[in-house]
Amino acid sequence: MSDPAWRELGVVGDDETVEITLVLSSLAAPQRDAKRRALVDAIAANPRERQPETIKELLGASESVLQACSALASKYGLTYSVKRELPAEVALAGTAPQMRAALGISYKWVEFNGRKSLARVADVRMQLPDDLAPYVVDVLGLDDHRPGGFTPFRSGGALLRDAKDTPASPVAPPAASAETRFLTARDLAAFYDFPEGQGLDGSGVTVGFIVLAGGLDLEGLAPNFTCLGLETPDVKIIELDNAKNTPVGPEAIKAYIVGQGIGQAGAPLACEQPQARRWQRPAPDPNATNITEAMWGTLEIMMDVALFGALANGAKIRVYRSKPNRSGMRDAILEAADDGVSILVLTGGDAEGDLHPNWGLDQNGTAGVDAALDYAIGARGVTVLCSSGDRGSTASSVDGEQHKLQPAYPASHDLVVACGGTQIVWTDESTPTEVVWNEHILGDRLASSGGFSKIFQRPAWQAGLPGEMRAVPDIAANAAFASGLWNWLGSVNATSLGTSAAAPILAALMARIYQGLGIQGGIPGLAALLYQPAARAAMAPITQGHNGVQVGVTEYSAGPGWNPCTGLGRPIGAQLMEALKP
């Protein structure tokens, strides 16, 4: 079955200019691997300290490497420029025949979801001179026609799985409840024991979010805060790579949410019914409009900022709107790091096995993004929190191999804090407990993703966990629609959903903690600190539930200690703040 959102537009003309970016290192692959392991070990030993010298050795480019790039450009008449010194990037540009002669590849124009982009005519190994090839970490601009694993998690299933004609096989959905209980940010902060008093609201902390499609409607955010008696936080949008902040309009959002039966029209419920905490869930309309890439991006960033801003109202929020591919993700991470954000929240991704192949080496297809994360964390001290994914134990949504146990990237990166999902349930009207998030919503079975990486080795702080590879997730928070936090999305009532809600919730907790502890900037090794005994004791373990999403397919189950559904558990806010004191 062909992809209905995909269309070939023809080969790139001989007079058209194309550009690629080489991500470089002064170390060849074996030395890079050893140096990167040294970086992880150094952060394990000193979690609060940055490692600028190691990052410079790992991600800088020597003069000889830069000269090899210049010589390649000169030989084939390409333009050459150094885009960054650290992490090292150079740009090469030329006509299609020049690039074909220099690199051995041909280009075509394609359209995906209305976006015109370049793609290679054939997936062949790129040709580079022997004196340069070992030092090229990644090549950006070759196959940026698809998002490369950085769509919002549920978007991957809606847009791409259908294109492959390999839908998941969800278990039978439960009967939908006509009435749903919602929480407000204040409710959740109380339940999670967020540290309060002494003005703890995230003031002095700057938190970054990345959006790769659609955009943030600043005006539409306001009721999320006014209904809770809060000020609208300090939010700024930074546009990168000629991308524009283009949110889907509120009426289109309303039509989609109401049509899918996941929201309610009318006045903001948190203003009108501050005590009732209940709303009527409408029946889905079988003729409702399907989701689009721009819609998902808009819904995602609106939810992220609304949740975080309500829970850490005094923090500064920076939203980076970049192009929807892996080079756009890399650029946004680097920009946020250089802007000095303390915490960076990433709420999209895909299964490790679904990521695009690299330019020809036996590496994962995210080496350039890996380098950006290493720089942000190791050199700039940014705390990076990533959603663990919404596809349960079998995180794949596009390759037709959903039966494979695997985690999602970038949550599987070994220096980030991977955030899984829980569901809050009430045994009676006043006694909530938490279980693994696993529910049927939006026509699919969604659950907290987790597992064991095939790319990243187990960091030292995960000693004692099963296997030898990085285990996902680290911690967890509320991700269920059934216990979601109230949001006002432009012109309609909705509730939060997915591990992409858990990550900003946990980021808000860390913003309050950083403010309370007087931490300037982030903590590069927060993940390592979370596994120390004092922090582990500040977790509410999740011992019930599983993250299976398909009948007859292996799943992970919750249990005492760390598990591949919810990690160490859900942090108990005030206790974690005490545990993280220097």
Side-chain angles (χ1 to χ4, degrees), residues 22-110:
L22 303 182
V23 180
L24 304 172
S25 174
S26 59
L27 303 176
Q31 291 74 34
R32 285 201 304 273
D33 291 344
K35 183 60 67 176
R36 187 167 190 292
R37 191 64 190 175
L39 170 67
V40 178
D41 289 344
I43 289 177
N46 300 285
R48 300 178 191 273
E49 296 183 11
R50 303 178 186 186
Q51 304 295 328
E53 292 305 315
T54 302
I55 291 295
K56 186 175 181 180
E57 295 174 39
L58 178 64
L59 303 179
S62 66
E63 187 61 33
S64 62
V65 172
L66 295 176
Q67 287 176 355
C69 292
S70 180
L72 174 66
S74 178
K75 180 177 180 180
Y76 294 99
L78 307 176
T79 62
Y80 161 79
S81 62
V82 177
K83 295 176 66 175
R84 289 184 65 100
E85 293 185 357
L86 191 71
E89 292 182 0
V90 301
L92 299 176
T95 64
Q98 288 173 321
M99 298 295 277
R100 185 164 55 247
L103 307 174
I105 55 175
S106 298
Y107 288 98
K108 59 185 175 183
W109 289 112
V110 299

Side-chain angles (χ1 to χ4, degrees), residues 218-308:
L218 285 172
E219 184 177 346
L221 276 175
N224 286 284
F225 312 114
T226 57
C227 284
L228 300 176
L230 300 169
E231 297 291 329
T232 299
D234 177 352
V235 183
K236 290 185 180 178
I237 300 169
I238 298 95
E239 296 175 336
L240 306 172
D241 299 325
N242 296 316
K244 299 297 181 184
N245 184 60
T246 51
V248 172
E251 290 305 312
I253 291 175
K254 179 179 178 179
Y256 174 74
I257 289 178
V258 174
Q260 294 293 332
I262 56 173
Q264 179 180 329
L269 291 176
C271 295
E272 299 295 321
Q273 302 176 24
Q275 303 303 321
R277 304 290 194 265
R278 296 186 182 277
W279 56 284
Q280 295 296 318
R281 180 176 171 183
D285 180 353
N287 299 314
T289 304
N290 290 329
I291 194 71
T292 65
E293 192 176 54
M295 178 73 79
W296 265 128
T298 300
L299 292 174
E300 183 70 56
I301 194 61
M302 291 286 285
M303 178 185 73
D304 293 349
V305 173
L307 292 179
F308 178 86

Side-chain angles (χ1 to χ4, degrees), residues 98-443:
Q98 288 173 321
M99 298 295 277
R100 185 164 55 247
L103 307 174
I105 55 175
S106 298
Y107 288 98
K108 59 185 175 183
W109 289 112
V110 299
E111 184 180 69
F112 181 64
N113 286 328
R115 186 174 68 250
K116 182 180 177 181
S117 303
L118 285 171
R120 283 179 284 184
V121 170
D123 189 13
V124 297
R125 182 183 175 94
M126 181 176 167
Q127 299 172 3
L128 283 172
D130 291 343
D131 62 345
L132 177 58
Y135 307 101
V136 176
V137 176
D138 201 356
V139 182
L140 304 175
L142 288 176
D143 284 305
D144 279 348
H145 54 289
R146 287 180 183 266
F150 298 111
T151 52
F153 283 111
R154 293 171 303 285
S155 177
L159 292 174
L160 303 182
R161 186 176 65 257
D162 293 343
K164 295 287 187 179
D165 199 24
T166 53
S169 302
V171 299
S177 172
E179 187 174 65
T180 300
R181 181 178 196 147
F182 70 83
L183 301 173
T184 68
R186 292 184 183 278
D187 297 331
L188 190 77
F191 178 45
Y192 280 6
D193 195 21
F194 271 37
E196 297 180 337
Q198 300 178 346
L200 289 183
D201 61 359
S203 294
V205 178
T206 302
V207 177
F209 294 87
I210 295 174
V211 57
L212 303 181
L216 178 66
D217 177 6
L218 285 172
E219 184 177 346
L221 276 175
N224 286 284
F225 312 114
T226 57
C227 284
L228 300 176
L230 300 169
E231 297 291 329
T232 299
D234 177 352
V235 183
K236 290 185 180 178
I237 300 169
I238 298 95
E239 296 175 336
L240 306 172
D241 299 325
N242 296 316
K244 299 297 181 184
N245 184 60
T246 51
V248 172
E251 290 305 312
I253 291 175
K254 179 179 178 179
Y256 174 74
I257 289 178
V258 174
Q260 294 293 332
I262 56 173
Q264 179 180 329
L269 291 176
C271 295
E272 299 295 321
Q273 302 176 24
Q275 303 303 321
R277 304 290 194 265
R278 296 186 182 277
W279 56 284
Q280 295 296 318
R281 180 176 171 183
D285 180 353
N287 299 314
T289 304
N290 290 329
I291 194 71
T292 65
E293 192 176 54
M295 178 73 79
W296 265 128
T298 300
L299 292 174
E300 183 70 56
I301 194 61
M302 291 286 285
M303 178 185 73
D304 293 349
V305 173
L307 292 179
F308 178 86
L311 289 165
N313 193 241
K316 295 180 180 178
I317 300 172
R318 300 294 177 260
V319 175
Y320 297 87
R321 174 60 164 97
S322 193
K323 56 188 177 183
N325 49 43
R326 58 196 178 108
S327 57
M329 173 63 82
R330 172 182 165 86
D331 290 348
I333 293 170
L334 295 175
E335 185 76 13
D338 289 341
D339 280 353
V341 304
S342 301
I343 300 171
L344 180 61
V345 182
L346 305 181
T347 57
D350 220 322
E352 283 186 345
D354 291 345
L355 299 173
H356 290 296
N358 206 352
W359 61 276
L361 298 176
D362 293 330
Q363 301 172 352
N364 70 86
T366 59
V369 178
D370 293 342
L373 288 170
D374 290 347
Y375 170 80
I377 296 166
R380 297 295 189 178
V382 180
T383 299
V384 180
L385 284 81
C386 297
S387 306
S388 75
D390 298 350
R391 296 291 308 167
S393 61
T394 51
S396 174
S397 62
V398 302
D399 70 355
E401 296 182 337
Q402 293 94 338
H403 59 281
K404 286 187 175 181
L405 296 175
Q406 57 183 316
Y409 177 90
S412 62
H413 187 281
D414 49 5
L415 293 178
V416 308
V417 177
C419 305
T422 69
Q423 178 174 341
I424 300 171
V425 295
W426 284 264
T427 54
D428 56 47
E429 284 298 311
S430 60
T431 310
T433 59
E434 278 181 283
V435 299
V436 176
W437 170 51
N438 190 323
E439 67 180 337
H440 194 280
I441 191 71
L442 291 174

